[in-house]
């Protein structure tokens, strides 16, 4: 197991290098940049700024400079925010990780519970109702659900704040500050959970329906085990294996999927600054954020491989 994990980690190096090549040249070949978008600059001043920030160098040379700096944790300088990209990501990634982690935990808890319950009561009224609700939640775009929840719970009922992470001018500390952040997080985390729970629920339902028909489940029942033990101890553990693959895609998917949601709720996360960077052609920020998503993707796949062995002791990874 240890040898396999070391080998998998070593395989991440060429994968990330290939991702860096693709990411850099996609943004480098895009027309214009932050300096070109500033119509107040004279051609002479624009050329001077490009020379200062190295944008006048050949593209291949710029890539190796960017890659060498990235290996030392330097992803360039944001012209829009006037600070290093790494410092910008560190400032905002914690906020994104907060709602992403809460949404991930809620999604898996709800999906496992509903998926298992629906599979056990296959084709019942409960199963039909859950199927309708799941497909309904998956059908609506994030901006529509977000605006609808703002209208209902923030504007009409006044139960929750409209957006942001803290109240305007807030000076709270301690538990009061934690509660304030939690109140602001309810709506965006709920939207992300609603968008993610549908597909995962269908996967759990389908996997459970296949597993509960297998011989080892019938054998467990024939031994006289309680139905709860049969379902949650034997069947669920095997049904988790196909769903573990999705976990590798959930991590980057939550951050990238939160881009629109963070914009709607003005949540100060990396998704929010990503939209601002697109509008202003701040490509250094876009490259840094995209590399962050690439890193999350390979780490998520590595985590999924490890969880395979944890969930099923029959798997022997060498």
């Amino acid at each position: 197991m240890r040898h396999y994990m070391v080998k998998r980690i070593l395989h991440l190096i060429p994968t990330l290098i290939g991702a860096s090549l693709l990411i850099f040249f996609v943004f480098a070949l895009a027309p214009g940049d932050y300096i070109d978008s500033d119509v107040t600059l004279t051609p002479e001043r624009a050329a001077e700024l490009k020379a200062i920030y190295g944008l006048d160098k050949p593209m291949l040379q710029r890539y190796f400079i960017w890659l060498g700096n990235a290996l030392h944790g330097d992803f360039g300088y944001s012209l829009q925010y006037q600070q290093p990209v790494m410092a910008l990501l560190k400032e905002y990634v914690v906020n994104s990780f907060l709602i992403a982690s809460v949404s991930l935990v809620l999604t898996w808890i709800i999906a496992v519970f509903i998926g298992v319950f629906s599979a056990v009561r296959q084709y019942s009224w409960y199963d039909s109702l859950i199927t309708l609700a799941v497909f309904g939640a998956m059908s609506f775009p994030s901006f529509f659900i977000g605006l609808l929840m703002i209208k209902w719970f923030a504007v009409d009922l006044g139960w929750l704040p409209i957006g942001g992470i803290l109240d305007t001018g807030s000076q709270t500390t301690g538990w009061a500050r934690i509660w304030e952040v939690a109140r602001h997080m309810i709506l965006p985390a709920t939207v992300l959970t609603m968008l993610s729970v549908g597909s995962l629920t269908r996967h759990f339902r389908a996997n459970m329906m296949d597993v509960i028909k297998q011989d080892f489940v019938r054998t467990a029942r024939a031994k006289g085990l309680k139905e709860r033990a049969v379902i949650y101890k034997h069947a669920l553990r095997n049904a988790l294996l196909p769903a573990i693959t999705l976990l590798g895609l959930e991590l980057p998917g939550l951050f990238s999927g939160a881009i629109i949601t963070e914009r709607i709720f003005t949540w100060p996360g990396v998704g929010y600054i990503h939209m601002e960077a697109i509008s202003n052609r701040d490509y250094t920020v876009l490259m840094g954020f995209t590399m962050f998503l690439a890193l999350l993707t390979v780490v998520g796949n590595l985590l999924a491989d490890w969880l395979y062995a944890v969930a099923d002791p029959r798997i022997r990874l060498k």
Side-chain angles (χ1 to χ4, degrees), residues 18 93 109 125 140 143 235 297:
V93 75
I109 291 176
W125 67 268
F140 292 104
F143 70 87
T297 301

Side-chain angles (χ1 to χ4, degrees), residues 155-176:
V155 177
D156 294 342
L157 298 175
W159 291 351
L160 297 170
I162 293 177
I165 191 172
L166 293 170
D167 295 334
T168 304
S170 174
Q171 300 294 329
T172 56
T173 57
W175 288 105

Side-chain angles (χ1 to χ4, degrees), residues 116-195:
V116 171
F117 210 68
S118 181
V120 173
R121 290 161 175 77
Q122 184 181 0
Y123 303 129
S124 65
W125 67 268
Y126 173 84
D127 185 26
S128 302
L129 183 63
I130 289 299
T131 301
L132 179 63
V134 163
F135 280 107
M138 294 171 59
S139 301
F140 292 104
S142 58
F143 70 87
F144 178 80
I145 297 178
L147 293 175
L148 195 63
M149 295 187 73
I150 290 175
K151 174 68 168 57
W152 286 347
F153 297 104
V155 177
D156 294 342
L157 298 175
W159 291 351
L160 297 170
I162 293 177
I165 191 172
L166 293 170
D167 295 334
T168 304
S170 174
Q171 300 294 329
T172 56
T173 57
W175 288 105
R177 189 177 184 85
I178 294 176
W179 170 242
E180 188 175 339
V181 173
R183 288 182 65 249
H184 284 76
M185 187 173 56
I186 290 175
L187 289 182
T190 301
V191 171
L192 290 177
T193 302
M194 290 178 62
L195 296 175

